[in-house]
Amino acid sequence: MTERIYNFSAGPAVLPVEVLEQAQRDLLSLPGVGMSVMEISHRSKTFDEILGKADTGVRQLLGVPDNYHVLFLQGGASLQFSMVAMNLLPAGGSADYIVTGSWGKKAVKEAKRCGAVNIAANMADSGFTRIPDPEEINLDSNAAYVHITTNETIEGVEWKEEPEVGKVPLVADASSDILSHPIPVEKYGLIYAGAQKNMGPSGVTMIIIRDDLLPRIPDGLHTMLDYRTHVENHSLYNTPNTWGIYIISLVCDWLKTKGGLKGMHRENLAKAKLLYDAIDATDFYRGHAEPGCRSIMNVTFRLPSEELEKKFATEATAKSLDGLKGHRSVGGIRASIYNAFPHDGVEALVSFMKGFEQKNG
Ligand SMILES: Cc1ncc(COP(=O)(O)O)c(C=O)c1O
């Protein structure tokens, strides 16, 4: 099979065809280098340029201010659940966590190993269908930081704007919506994101950290787990994921051709609207998240029964609409429509949904 199908996977996820084609062209030999990017030293001038391009690309797209460092590390967003707390939650201190879904819960689990955690809000009782209203959030003005998950990939619930946290640094897991829309980076102390949804392949985690947080890091952390190591060595303390960073540099180029994050956001909103409109047009499909909190990236919905959901996912796969089965922890259907997911793929899904309802409704 050489035809590409519509890949609704939550991650690793669809990459832009133009990026894959460029990588394919340069796979055997990077122009002027005579080797694949996977074969060159991470200490070479060529890789230095690739890393610089990825760094500049992200900085330009997100408008990262100069007092922030951009790091490309490994260990996934899951390792950041630990590193954030190890680095920023001091002995005797406490951190605020606003839990809006399954990933936020996992972040709390790791932070608790390091120190006190104040659950400033927990939306579990609502079935993780929404973001808390400001009056539902109990922040501690002495907290070391406030942690949010900007987009909960499993439940399909996203923050539309940052919570007001005063002077306390805001820390965000932005794994599943990074680079999908503009964000005011200056409102954050630290942002982390696994690359494998909107930025590139799995195996790279991007961290954007404000410079004034570095002096808060306690001495004595393991070298690899200390953000200062990676800041001082520009992500080259050890061997980074050279291939992944190269793809990120190409994705940044591609995003610029889309009109940057503003242009990308417009396209993402149009795709999401098409799908949510189809869900809302009938009682057969039921959206999981409350309308005001719906994710633009991960569209989650239910059918009248689990049997029908299973049938839906199986029949969709047979029609080259793959990866629609909801996460094993919540069930239902999840259509992940990241940056690189094409508009005509959403149209194909909407048409499949109409046909499925006619036959099974
Ligand atoms: C919001 C969010 N946080 C964290 C993770 C975990 O990422 P990783 O598998 O890179 O550790 C994911 C993965 O899907 C995610 O969507």
Side-chain angles (χ1 to χ4, degrees):
M1 183 183 196
T2 51
E3 288 277 300
R4 283 175 65 79
I5 62 167
Y6 290 123
N7 174 13
F8 290 90
S9 168
V14 59
L15 282 164
V17 171
E18 294 88 337
V19 166
L20 295 175
E21 284 171 346
Q22 168 93 43
Q24 184 182 41
R25 272 196 302 277
D26 295 347
L27 187 65
L28 282 180
S29 169
L30 277 174
V33 179
M35 293 176 279
S36 154
V37 71
M38 284 181 279
E39 301 167 301
I40 58 174
S41 165
H42 60 295
R43 308 269 173 219
S44 63
K45 188 168 164 288
T46 306
F47 186 70
D48 234 24
E49 281 166 13
I50 291 170
L51 181 60
K53 209 176 130 200
D55 179 283
T56 310
V58 166
R59 282 181 182 278
Q60 287 176 347
L61 287 164
L62 282 169
V64 178
D66 288 345
N67 59 327
Y68 286 74
H69 306 278
V70 177
L71 307 174
F72 297 101
L73 308 185
Q74 297 180 64
S78 299
L79 181 61
Q80 293 310 305
F81 297 161
S82 305
M83 276 180 75
V84 162
M86 287 171 144
N87 283 262
L88 301 181
L89 178 47
S94 170
D96 284 348
Y97 277 71
I98 304 178
V99 182
T100 52
S102 305
W103 291 111
K105 251 167 69 180
K106 289 201 167 175
V108 166
K109 183 176 166 212
E110 300 311 318
K112 280 186 171 167
R113 295 176 198 272
C114 295
V117 169
N118 168 45
I119 305 295
N122 184 354
M123 304 316 283
D125 286 351
S126 81
F128 292 134
T129 53
R130 63 183 183 89
I131 298 297
D133 292 329
E135 60 277 10
E136 294 175 288
I137 306 175
N138 297 307
L139 294 175
D140 166 7
S141 56
N142 292 315
Y145 58 86
V146 180
H147 182 282
I148 61 168
T149 312
T150 51
N151 179 65
E152 280 285 357
T153 323
I154 293 177
E155 288 81 5
V157 171
E158 86 179 8
W159 288 84
K160 300 295 175 190
E161 58 183 33
E162 292 71 17
E164 253 335 305
V165 295
K167 286 196 166 14
V168 178
L170 182 61
V171 172
D173 174 0
S175 292
S176 48
D177 66 346
I178 191 82
L179 301 184
S180 69
H181 59 92
I183 51 170
V185 175
E186 65 284 356
K187 286 198 171 177
Y188 294 86
L190 188 150
I191 299 168
Y192 61 92
Q196 66 269 22
K197 296 156 201 307
N198 268 333
M199 277 193 297
S202 57
V204 189
T205 319
M206 183 175 75
I207 290 104
I208 302 175
I209 181 169
R210 206 173 62 211
D211 193 56
D212 69 328
L213 295 180
L214 298 177
R216 303 184 184 198
I217 299 172
D219 286 330
L221 288 180
H222 284 244
T223 311
M224 279 291 286
L225 300 177
D226 187 326
Y227 287 127
R228 289 172 303 189
T229 303
H230 304 292
V231 167
E232 283 157 18
N233 292 280
H234 303 287
S235 306
L236 289 172
Y237 173 74
N238 74 324
T239 317
N241 179 342
T242 50
W243 170 256
I245 293 169
Y246 160 71
I247 299 291
I248 291 175
S249 75
L250 299 184
V251 168
C252 288
D253 287 345
W254 177 79
L255 279 167
K256 285 178 200 156
T257 70
K258 290 272 164 191
L261 300 193
K262 269 198 190 143
M264 194 70 252
H265 190 206
R266 263 196 305 277
E267 285 190 29
N268 287 334
L269 286 172
K271 285 186 292 186
K273 181 172 184 330
L274 194 59
L275 197 41
Y276 283 119
D277 281 353
I279 291 168
D280 291 341
T282 138
D283 290 336
F284 186 73
Y285 299 108
R286 262 177 309 120
H288 172 76
E290 288 194 3
C293 310
R294 285 171 161 179
S295 170
I296 303 303
M297 298 279 98
N298 311 98
V299 178
T300 48
F301 57 100
R302 307 297 310 233
L303 273 68
S305 71
E306 285 184 19
E307 289 68 42
L308 279 173
E309 287 168 352
K310 214 166 148 197
K311 189 165 181 235
F312 180 97
T314 308
E315 289 185 13
T317 301
K319 291 206 151 41
S320 298
L321 304 165
D322 198 43
L324 285 162
K325 196 163 164 283
H327 190 272
R328 58 192 180 282
S329 61
V330 296
I333 302 293
R334 171 176 54 174
S336 297
I337 48 173
Y338 298 119
N339 284 348
F341 192 90
H343 197 277
D344 56 4
V346 180
E347 285 170 358
L349 174 59
V350 167
S351 142
F352 172 79
M353 285 166 71
K354 286 185 182 147
F356 189 86
E357 184 185 353
Q358 269 162 18
K359 275 187 260 142
N360 299 280

